[in-house]
Amino acid sequence: MYAAGDCRTSLFNPTGQPAYIPLASSALRQGALAGMNACGEARLDYGTQATSAMMLFGLCVASTGLTHAAASWVVGLRPHTITWHGTWRPAFMPETSKLTITLVYDRLSRRLLGAQLLSTHEVAQSANALSIAIQNNNTIDDLAVVDMLFSPHFNEPNNYLNQAASLAVAHEREAGFKTPQFTALGARGRQ
């Protein structure tokens, strides 16, 4: 790879297809990779999830991957969405704030396709964590039990990302899909 930045498409990992996604983060990474490749160090571009965030009227708004509307246009996907509402740390702490997370996942594979987060608390780094999950083909089942730190200064005993994914898993169980068909660790039969 020698082309970098806004002059090229990138592999958009949620769809597995090339897409034009002009973001500074992707352009910088692609520039570094192009330089390494030009100097003989063969390096791959792992694609992008188009992760971004901004502060808007005191709210941190973050997004990664596909929205439900965008996923609905992708052939072969059966997107489903859940929205989790809670707080980012326990209520007994001196202060906390509300947090809303929307997860978009494929109903057949249960693979995470995208997420949107909204809070007065800084949640941009959580969008980065979800970006890694999308790049690595993690499912809602993986995210529900992934190991995250606990300290009441930073989160609940079950991190809010775990809680949002657990809500999605419970929703699938209620719909009659008790066992995941696939996780990042390997295929499983669906019951």
Side-chain angles (χ1 to χ4, degrees), residues 3-71:
D6 295 356
C7 69
R8 61 163 280 201
T9 60
S10 298
L11 172 65
F12 188 45
N13 288 315
T15 65
Q17 299 297 315
Y20 181 66
I21 303 172
L23 288 172
S25 55
S26 296
L28 291 169
R29 184 178 57 255
Q30 290 167 4
L33 290 170
M36 288 180 222
N37 285 325
C39 291
E41 183 181 340
R43 298 291 300 265
L44 295 175
D45 180 359
Y46 292 110
T48 184
Q49 290 70 248
T51 306
S52 62
M54 68 171 150
M55 292 299 294
L56 186 66
F57 302 112
L59 293 171
C60 182
V61 181
S63 178
T64 187
L66 293 167
T67 63
H68 187 271

